[in-house]
Coordinates of all heavy atoms in Angstrom, one line a residue:
S690 N -6.0 9.3 7.9 CA -6.8 8.1 8.1 C -6.7 7.6 9.6 O -7.7 7.3 10.2 CB -6.4 6.9 7.2 OG -6.5 7.3 5.9
A691 N -5.5 7.6 10.2 CA -5.3 7.1 11.5 C -6.0 8.1 12.5 O -6.7 7.6 13.5 CB -3.9 7.0 11.9
G692 N -5.9 9.4 12.3 CA -6.6 10.3 13.2 C -8.1 10.2 13.1 O -8.8 10.3 14.1
M693 N -8.6 10.0 11.9 CA -10.1 9.9 11.7 C -10.6 8.6 12.4 O -11.7 8.5 13.0 CB -10.4 9.9 10.2 CG -10.3 11.2 9.6 SD -11.4 12.5 10.3 CE -13.0 12.0 9.6
R694 N -9.8 7.5 12.3 CA -10.1 6.3 13.0 C -10.2 6.5 14.5 O -11.0 5.9 15.2 CB -9.2 5.1 12.6 CG -9.4 4.5 11.3 CD -8.7 3.2 11.2 NE -7.2 3.4 11.2 CZ -6.5 3.6 10.1 NH1 -7.0 3.6 8.9 NH2 -5.2 3.8 10.2
T695 N -9.2 7.3 14.9 CA -9.2 7.6 16.4 C -10.4 8.3 16.9 O -11.0 7.9 17.9 CB -7.9 8.4 16.7 OG1 -6.8 7.7 16.2 CG2 -7.8 8.6 18.2
I696 N -10.8 9.3 16.1 CA -12.0 10.1 16.5 C -13.3 9.2 16.4 O -14.2 9.2 17.2 CB -12.2 11.3 15.6 CG1 -10.9 12.2 15.6 CG2 -13.4 12.1 16.0 CD1 -10.6 12.7 17.0
T697 N -13.3 8.4 15.3 CA -14.4 7.4 15.2 C -14.5 6.5 16.4 O -15.6 6.1 16.8 CB -14.3 6.6 13.9 OG1 -14.3 7.5 12.8 CG2 -15.4 5.7 13.7
A698 N -13.3 6.0 16.8 CA -13.3 5.1 18.0 C -13.8 5.8 19.2 O -14.5 5.2 20.0 CB -11.9 4.6 18.2
I699 N -13.4 7.0 19.4 CA -13.9 7.8 20.6 C -15.4 8.0 20.5 O -16.1 7.7 21.5 CB -13.2 9.1 20.6 CG1 -11.7 8.9 20.9 CG2 -13.8 10.0 21.7 CD1 -10.9 10.2 20.8
F700 N -15.9 8.3 19.3 CA -17.4 8.5 19.2 C -18.1 7.1 19.2 O -19.3 7.1 19.5 CB -17.7 9.2 17.9 CG -17.5 10.7 18.0 CD1 -16.8 11.4 17.0 CD2 -18.0 11.4 19.0 CE1 -16.6 12.7 17.1 CE2 -17.9 12.8 19.1 CZ -17.1 13.5 18.1
G701 N -17.4 6.1 18.9 CA -18.0 4.8 18.8 C -18.3 4.2 20.2 O -19.0 3.2 20.4
N702 N -17.6 4.8 21.2 CA -17.8 4.3 22.6 C -19.2 4.8 23.0 O -19.6 5.9 23.0 CB -16.8 5.0 23.5 CG -16.8 4.5 24.9 OD1 -17.9 4.6 25.5 ND2 -15.7 4.0 25.4
N703 N -20.1 3.8 23.4 CA -21.5 4.1 23.8 C -21.6 5.1 24.9 O -22.5 5.9 24.9 CB -22.2 2.8 24.1 CG -22.4 1.9 22.9 OD1 -22.6 2.4 21.8 ND2 -22.5 0.6 23.1
A704 N -20.6 5.0 25.8 CA -20.7 5.9 27.0 C -20.4 7.4 26.5 O -21.1 8.3 26.9 CB -19.6 5.5 28.0
N705 N -19.5 7.5 25.6 CA -19.2 8.8 25.0 C -20.4 9.4 24.2 O -20.7 10.6 24.3 CB -18.0 8.8 24.2 CG -16.7 8.6 25.0 OD1 -16.7 8.8 26.2 ND2 -15.7 8.1 24.3
R706 N -21.1 8.5 23.5 CA -22.2 9.0 22.7 C -23.3 9.5 23.6 O -24.0 10.4 23.3 CB -22.7 7.8 21.8 CG -21.8 7.4 20.7 CD -22.3 6.3 19.9 NE -23.4 6.6 19.1 CZ -23.4 7.0 17.8 NH1 -22.2 7.0 17.2 NH2 -24.4 7.3 17.1
K707 N -23.5 8.8 24.7 CA -24.5 9.2 25.7 C -24.2 10.6 26.3 O -25.0 11.4 26.5 CB -24.7 8.1 26.7 CG -25.4 6.9 26.2 CD -25.5 5.8 27.3 CE -26.2 4.6 26.8 NZ -26.3 3.5 27.9
I708 N -22.9 10.7 26.6 CA -22.5 12.0 27.3 C -22.7 13.1 26.3 O -23.2 14.2 26.7 CB -21.0 11.9 27.6 CG1 -20.8 10.9 28.8 CG2 -20.4 13.3 28.0 CD1 -19.3 10.6 29.1

Side-chain angles (χ1 to χ4, degrees):
S690 298
M693 290 297 286
R694 278 193 298 268
T695 305
I696 305 303
T697 300
I699 293 171
F700 282 131
N702 186 303
N703 289 331
N705 291 340
R706 291 177 71 95
K707 290 180 180 178
I708 292 172

